[in-house]
Amino acid sequence: HYREGQQAVIDRLLADKNVAAVFPTGGGKSLCYQLPSQLLTGTTVVVSPLIALMKDQCDALAARGIAAARLDSSMPADEFRAAVSGVRDGSIKLLYVAPERFFNERFLATIGTLDVSLFAIDEAHCISQWGHNFRPDYLKLAELTKNLGADRVLALTATATPEVLSDIRAAFNIDPDDAIRTEFHRPNLHLRSCVVDSDDQYGALVDRLQQRPRGSTLVYVTLQKTAEQIAERLTADGFDATAYHAGLESEQRGEIQQQFIDSDQSIVVATIAFGMGIDKSNIRYVYHFNPPKSLEAYAQEIGRAGRDGKESVCEVLLSPEDRTVLENFTYGD
């Protein structure tokens, strides 16, 4: 069966329309291009900034007997050549590509020879300067869809304000009726917050971790050094905790992600570098040790909890002193 919104998106794609899909985290966006990719004659190109997501989806599709390939900077040359060869001979109809690939002229020449039936852009909010995660390289994708002669375009995101959705629609020539937005209220998520002094912040976190049943836990912080410090303190206090941030080597980040996915009790203390595209349904707790940078970021981050539909707790431990760090980011921008 379909989840809410999926059939509306797929029907429009099969009717040759450009479509935007704004579904909450865990709402089933991936099926909206995976299913059409098997029905359309040419290649479906999926652009995603998330190497972990591309790898997870290729592995999951392979387990279902569906051939998919990814092209990203972490791949050995022979794997890259095999993927391109499979797409050219039609044995692979679903191709995942990292956005930076489109700055490579040789790659553009390769993909320009393909019959692109569907061009899907994941995390499409990155195209908008009003979005919480603007990426200038995404602006180039709008031009590329025209140059590649893609038959249809699908823009996907979990969070889009009216301004951001307007930017997405304008960039990819999507009619208002073809922008499908589903409800993002998740009744199994219990949203909580409390105000704490900075001296009591760590103690409040430990208190929550000790009093509630163990479960996979994400603790979001603002700074890399905070992630390291909190993970070290939690480990010293007997918790299975690991720090994750953009300053780590990509191989190390991949190992931490995989360990977290495989465990049902571990704790990752992370900056916003962690979470996008992580396919883990049983995250029971999301704590914001430091406040999120925006309401959109908050929606994205708590949306990673309880994707299996079971009860999950999302709590902000709000220290007034944290306002200074956020203001510094704001004025810096």
Side-chain angles (χ1 to χ4, degrees):
H1 64 281
Y2 287 112
R3 294 184 189 175
E4 184 187 359
Q6 286 178 327
Q7 186 169 354
V9 170
I10 291 168
D11 284 348
R12 283 167 169 77
L13 289 173
L14 297 180
D16 297 337
K17 293 181 176 180
N18 292 345
V19 186
V22 185
F23 294 1
T25 303
K29 292 184 287 294
S30 304
L31 188 78
C32 294
Y33 54 78
Q34 289 173 344
L35 181 55
S37 77
Q38 303 306 297
L39 301 172
L40 300 170
T41 54
T43 306
T44 292
V45 176
V46 182
V47 183
S48 173
L50 312 167
I51 290 176
L53 171 123
M54 293 196 277
K55 184 177 181 303
D56 285 351
Q57 292 205 0
C58 287
D59 291 348
L61 287 163
R64 293 177 172 84
I66 296 169
R70 62 189 173 93
L71 300 180
D72 65 63
S73 54
S74 70
M75 291 175 70
D78 56 336
E79 273 186 49
F80 188 93
R81 282 193 297 271
V84 172
S85 174
V87 171
R88 281 199 170 128
D89 67 23
S91 60
I92 296 173
K93 299 183 72 176
L94 186 54
L95 181 65
Y96 291 84
V97 184
E100 63 271 13
R101 279 281 170 195
F102 293 97
F103 290 91
N104 181 309
E105 292 300 324
R106 192 168 158 202
F107 172 75
L108 284 175
T110 299
I111 206 166
T113 62
L114 300 177
D115 171 19
V116 180
S117 292
L118 171 59
F119 196 82
I121 300 96
D122 201 15
E123 310 296 339
H125 59 269
C126 295
I127 201 168
S128 174
Q129 295 182 62
W130 301 108
H132 65 284
N133 201 7
F134 173 57
R135 292 172 61 126
D137 50 343
Y138 260 60
L139 291 173
K140 190 171 185 178
L141 296 177
E143 285 302 309
L144 269 168
T145 57
K146 301 182 184 81
N147 298 341
L148 289 173
D151 296 338
R152 51 185 75 67
V153 175
L154 171 61
L156 305 125
T157 181
T159 51
T161 62
E163 294 91 343
V164 172
L165 184 56
S166 176
D167 278 359
I168 292 169
R169 284 186 35 243
F172 298 110
N173 192 27
I174 298 168
D175 290 338
D177 286 349
D178 298 325
I180 310 300
R181 183 196 285 274
T182 61
E183 288 290 320
F184 54 89
H185 174 58
R186 307 260 308 281
N188 63 310
L189 300 187
H190 297 267
L191 308 190
R192 299 178 182 175
S193 64
C194 66
V195 178
V196 294
D197 290 331
S198 57
D199 292 343
D200 301 330
Q201 210 167 357
Y202 177 74
L205 175 64
V206 170
D207 181 59
R208 305 303 192 273
L209 295 174
Q210 286 176 335
Q211 292 194 13
R212 291 171 178 160
R214 289 287 174 100
S216 289
T217 302
L218 268 177
V219 180
Y220 277 109
V221 298
T222 303
L223 305 175
Q224 292 183 10
K225 67 177 182 182
T226 311
E228 299 277 1
Q229 289 165 354
I230 299 300
E232 284 175 13
R233 290 182 71 178
L234 288 173
T235 302
D237 287 333
F239 295 97
D240 176 15
T242 311
Y244 183 105
H245 53 73
L248 301 173
E249 294 293 328
S250 59
E251 192 174 313
Q252 195 177 358
R253 292 204 305 269
E255 287 173 5
I256 293 168
Q257 285 181 349
Q258 198 56 52
Q259 287 167 2
F260 184 64
I261 287 168
D262 294 341
S263 169
D264 61 1
Q265 293 203 354
S266 64
I267 300 166
V268 169
V269 186
T271 60
I272 57 170
F274 186 89
M276 282 173 68
I278 298 298
D279 189 12
K280 182 173 173 66
S281 64
N282 63 338
I283 297 175
R284 293 278 72 88
Y285 305 101
V286 173
Y287 294 105
H288 279 90
F289 190 82
N290 301 128
K293 291 182 180 177
S294 69
L295 279 173
E296 293 148 278
Y298 178 66
Q300 281 265 10
E301 288 155 19
I302 64 169
R304 287 156 196 153
R307 290 170 65 168
D308 55 7
K310 296 179 181 176
E311 304 285 298
S312 302
V313 174
C314 307
E315 185 165 8
V316 182
L317 306 174
L318 192 64
S319 167
E321 289 91 334
D322 284 336
R323 179 190 178 102
T324 308
V325 178
L326 289 185
E327 283 181 342
N328 287 341
F329 278 124
T330 301
Y331 294 129
D333 286 346

